[in-house]
């Protein structure tokens, strides 16, 4: 039914007089909620019926109101507010103080409880948040280390990877290093973790021996924290006979000047 | 009678939901005469009517939370409550449900104009105007609104086919509304 049909159906009139069936009542209530026009029509019908009922008003006897209020106040045990009814203009005796004091006290108690709970919760939240940040940082570091390890492992595991052990020489018999040379691409990686720390202002330099001559293979990073243990990518050589590491000035030299630390042939 | 404070319906409902006794006092002053008149129509006895009226107002107070303003006006709700309680009382006390409609008019008219609600109606004038309402229209409204008859019972009582009760009711109430427009 559209709104017009609803209004002209007569159902709204039945609803207002309380004569609808259960289903009709539900329908009308739904229409009232759905259509403002229907709601206002029902209101107008009810207003008309109310006026009609008022035409036949009969004032009840004076004592009835008192009896009703007496009954209500007698059954309102839990409440301390007592208002004596009046039929004419007059003062009402109101005793609400106790009730409101109790209510205010209860409110204050609740408020304090709520504040305490808030503080407790906030401190727990802050601590948890701090813990979370630390955990994230730790995880980040571990992920970073893991990535480095994986890179290193991929170099070692590569099937074209040719490992070259560089052995310690007179300058440092205990020193050692490993070079991985990729047969297919010529890429060179070095694991410098067994070289002693380079002194201040000095740096290790890798040399590739090609046709008996040393060619600069790149600088080995040992100064930056942690980088010593990392397998580092060096310059690429398609053809090489041996590798050697010397200690040079920072940023290196075009030809080897300093003492040779380790050497190994392919 | 002087009215101390006047509430519109929304305010009144809100205060009653908060169990404000002053608002309830106002509610009584404003609606008791009309509801008492409704009860009297059904029971035909002043003192029984007043007994029921007490029960009605106690029930309004105790059950006010069940009133839903979105579903209809406050008076409609109170009217339904009043009518149902009156009919239940009549049944439980072994009263025979009588068709009071035909005799009503005289018995009500015999009473003084005792309407003392805060909103003064020109009751006598309106009663005269209501004479313009066709008797068959008036009967259909009264059976439904005052006596709480079902559509089925109305059809049987008046001889109107059940299918046309709705449209007859609409026509009757439209006529009523026209008559009761206060100007």
């Amino acid at each position: 039914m559209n709104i017009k049909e609803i209004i002209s159906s007569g159902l709204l009139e039945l609803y207002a007089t309380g004569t609808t069936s259960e289903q009709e009542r539900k329908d009308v209530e739904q229409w009232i909620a759905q259509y403002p026009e229907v709601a206002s029509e029902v209101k107008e019908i009810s207003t008309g019926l109310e006026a009609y009922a008022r035409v036949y008003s009969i004032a009840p006897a004076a004592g009835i109101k008192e009896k009703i209020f007496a009954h209500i106040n007698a059954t309102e045990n839990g409440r301390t507010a007592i208002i004596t009814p009046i039929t004419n203009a007059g003062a009402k005796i109101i005793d609400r103080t106790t009730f409101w004091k109790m209510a205010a006290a209860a409110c204050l108690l609740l408020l304090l409880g709520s504040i305490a709970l808030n503080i407790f919760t906030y401190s727990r939240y802050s601590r948890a948040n701090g813990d979370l940040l630390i955990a994230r940082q730790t995880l980040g570091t571990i992920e970073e280390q893991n990535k480095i390890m994986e890179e290193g492992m991929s170099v070692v595991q590569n099937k074209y990877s040719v490992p070259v052990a560089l052995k310690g020489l007179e300058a440092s018999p205990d020193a050692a290093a490993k070079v991985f040379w990729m047969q297919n691409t010529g890429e060179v990686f070095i694991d410098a973790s067994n070289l002693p720390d380079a002194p201040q202002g000095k740096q290790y330099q890798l040399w590739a021996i090609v046709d008996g001559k040393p060619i600069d293979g790149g600088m080995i990073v040992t100064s930056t924290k942690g980088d010593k243990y990392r397998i580092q990518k060096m310059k690429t050589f398609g053809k090489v006979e041996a590798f050697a590491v010397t200690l040079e000035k920072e940023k290196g030299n075009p030809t080897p000047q300093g003492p040779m630390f380790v050497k190994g042939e392919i | 009678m002087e009215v101390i404070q006047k509430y519109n319906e929304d305010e009144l409902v809100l205060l009653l939901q908060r169990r404000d006794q002053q608002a309830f006092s106002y509610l009584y002053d404003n609606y008791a005469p009309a509801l008492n008149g409704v009860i009297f129509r059904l029971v035909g006895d002043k003192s029984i009517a007043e007994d029921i009226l007490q029960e009605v107002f106690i029930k309004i107070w105790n059950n006010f939370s069940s009133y839903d303003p979105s579903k209809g006006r406050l008076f409609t709700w109170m009217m339904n409550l009043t009518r149902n309680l009156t009919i239940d009382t009549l049944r439980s006390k072994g009263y025979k449900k009588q068709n009071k409609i035909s005799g009503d008019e005289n018995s009500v008219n015999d009473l003084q104009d005792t309407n003392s609600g805060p909103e003064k109606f020109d009751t006598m004038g309106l009663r005269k105007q209501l004479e313009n309402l066709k008797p068959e229209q008036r009967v259909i409204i009264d059976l439904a609104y005052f006596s709480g008859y079902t559509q089925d019972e109305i059809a049987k009582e008046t001889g109107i086919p059940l299918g046309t009760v709705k449209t007859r009711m609409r026509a009757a109430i439209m006529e009523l509304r026209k008559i009761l427009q206060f100007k």
Side-chain angles (χ1 to χ4, degrees), chain A residues 54-58, chain B residues 105 108-114 122-132 138:
Chain A
R54 280 184 186 280
V55 171
Y56 297 100
S57 288
I58 300 166
Chain B
E105 209 163 47
V108 173
N109 283 341
D110 287 345
L111 292 160
Q112 296 170 320
D113 178 15
T114 47
D122 177 11
T123 306
M124 282 307 181
L126 285 172
R127 282 189 194 175
K128 250 197 158 54
Q129 279 182 290
L130 281 173
E131 284 166 17
N132 295 326
R138 192 157 176 174

Side-chain angles (χ1 to χ4, degrees), chain A residues 47-266:
Chain A
T47 308
L49 286 168
E50 181 182 340
Y52 183 48
R54 280 184 186 280
V55 171
Y56 297 100
S57 288
I58 300 166
I64 304 296
K65 191 178 181 182
E66 273 83 352
K67 284 188 191 169
I68 292 167
F69 272 84
H71 183 94
I72 284 168
N73 284 323
T75 50
E76 302 270 299
N77 284 332
R79 293 161 199 274
T80 50
I82 293 166
I83 299 175
T84 54
I86 43 153
T87 44
N88 291 311
K92 292 186 174 184
I93 299 158
I94 302 170
D95 179 15
R96 291 182 157 171
T97 26
T98 319
F99 173 73
W100 288 116
K101 271 183 192 163
M102 299 273 286
C107 287
L108 194 65
L109 216 65
L110 281 172
L111 180 68
L112 287 173
S114 168
I115 289 170
L117 190 67
N118 270 318
I119 291 169
F120 175 69
T121 313
Y122 181 74
S123 75
R124 275 182 52 165
Y125 162 77
S126 303
R127 212 179 313 144
N129 207 25
D131 289 351
L132 180 65
L133 280 176
I134 291 167
R136 275 196 190 138
Q137 279 170 2
T138 310
L139 182 66
T141 312
I142 291 170
E143 273 177 349
E144 181 66 22
Q145 285 173 353
N146 192 38
K147 202 178 147 215
I148 292 164
M149 295 275 228
E150 275 177 4
E151 278 171 11
M153 279 305 282
S154 78
V155 170
V156 176
Q157 289 172 337
N158 193 309
K159 69 172 176 179
Y160 297 107
S161 158
V162 178
V164 185
L166 277 59
K167 293 198 175 71
L169 301 171
E170 297 89 36
S172 172
D174 291 338
K178 282 187 194 75
V179 164
F180 299 90
W181 177 64
M182 301 297 156
Q183 272 181 316
N184 57 336
T185 59
E187 284 171 307
V188 174
F189 298 87
I190 186 162
D191 166 24
S193 48
N194 290 310
L195 286 176
D197 283 344
Q200 194 71 30
K202 301 272 184 180
Q203 207 175 354
Y204 291 110
Q205 189 168 4
L206 177 72
W207 304 95
I209 315 298
V210 182
D211 295 330
K213 282 178 187 160
I215 297 167
D216 172 34
M219 304 311 293
I220 298 162
V221 182
T222 52
S223 56
T224 315
K225 203 177 173 187
D227 275 354
K228 186 176 161 183
Y229 304 104
R230 155 188 204 160
I231 291 185
Q232 300 168 40
K233 190 173 187 306
M234 309 309 286
K235 290 186 177 169
T236 301
F237 296 95
K239 181 185 160 211
V240 64
E241 292 144 21
F243 290 102
V245 171
T246 59
L247 188 65
E248 304 291 337
K249 67 174 168 63
E250 246 176 313
K251 305 241 167 87
N253 285 314
T255 52
Q257 315 276 315
M260 190 179 288
F261 271 66
V262 291
K263 190 180 176 184
E265 285 170 15
I266 292 182

Side-chain angles (χ1 to χ4, degrees), chain B residues 6-7 28 60-61 90 95 98 108 127 138 152 176-177:
Chain B
K6 211 178 148 150
Y7 306 94
Y28 181 89
I60 287 171
W61 176 257
L90 286 176
Y95 290 102
Q98 298 165 351
V108 173
R127 282 189 194 175
R138 192 157 176 174
D152 238 312
L176 177 75
R177 281 164 69 185

Side-chain angles (χ1 to χ4, degrees), chain A residues 7-11 13-21 24 29 32 41 43-61 64-65 67-69 71-73 76 79 83 86-87 89 92, chain B residues 4 19 21-22 24-25 28-31 33-34 36-37 40-41 50 53-54 57-58 61 70-71 73 75-76 83 108 111 114 116 121 123 127 130 138 141-142 144-146 149 151 166 169-170 173 176-177 180 182:
Chain A
I7 288 175
S8 61
S9 68
L11 273 169
E13 278 78 5
L14 292 181
Y15 178 78
T17 56
T19 323
T20 41
S21 67
E24 287 168 337
E29 281 174 0
I32 288 173
E41 178 72 9
K43 201 174 169 183
E44 296 228 21
I45 293 165
S46 315
T47 308
L49 286 168
E50 181 182 340
Y52 183 48
R54 280 184 186 280
V55 171
Y56 297 100
S57 288
I58 300 166
I64 304 296
K65 191 178 181 182
K67 284 188 191 169
I68 292 167
F69 272 84
H71 183 94
I72 284 168
N73 284 323
E76 302 270 299
R79 293 161 199 274
I83 299 175
I86 43 153
T87 44
K92 292 186 174 184
Chain B
I4 312 152
R19 302 182 79 74
Q21 290 204 359
Q22 197 172 343
F24 188 62
S25 171
Y28 181 89
D29 293 340
N30 197 26
Y31 293 102
N36 195 40
F40 181 82
R41 270 178 165 245
E50 286 173 352
L53 185 72
Q54 283 183 53
F57 271 88
I58 288 163
W61 176 257
S70 70
K71 287 179 180 168
R73 298 189 66 227
F75 186 80
T76 307
R83 197 176 43 223
V108 173
L111 292 160
T114 47
S116 61
F121 285 92
T123 306
R127 282 189 194 175
L130 281 173
R138 192 157 176 174
I141 296 172
D142 287 357
Y145 193 51
F146 290 117
Y149 276 46
Q151 293 173 54
K166 285 189 195 70
M169 182 71 81
R170 172 164 166 77
I173 290 178
L176 177 75
R177 281 164 69 185
L180 289 182
F182 297 103

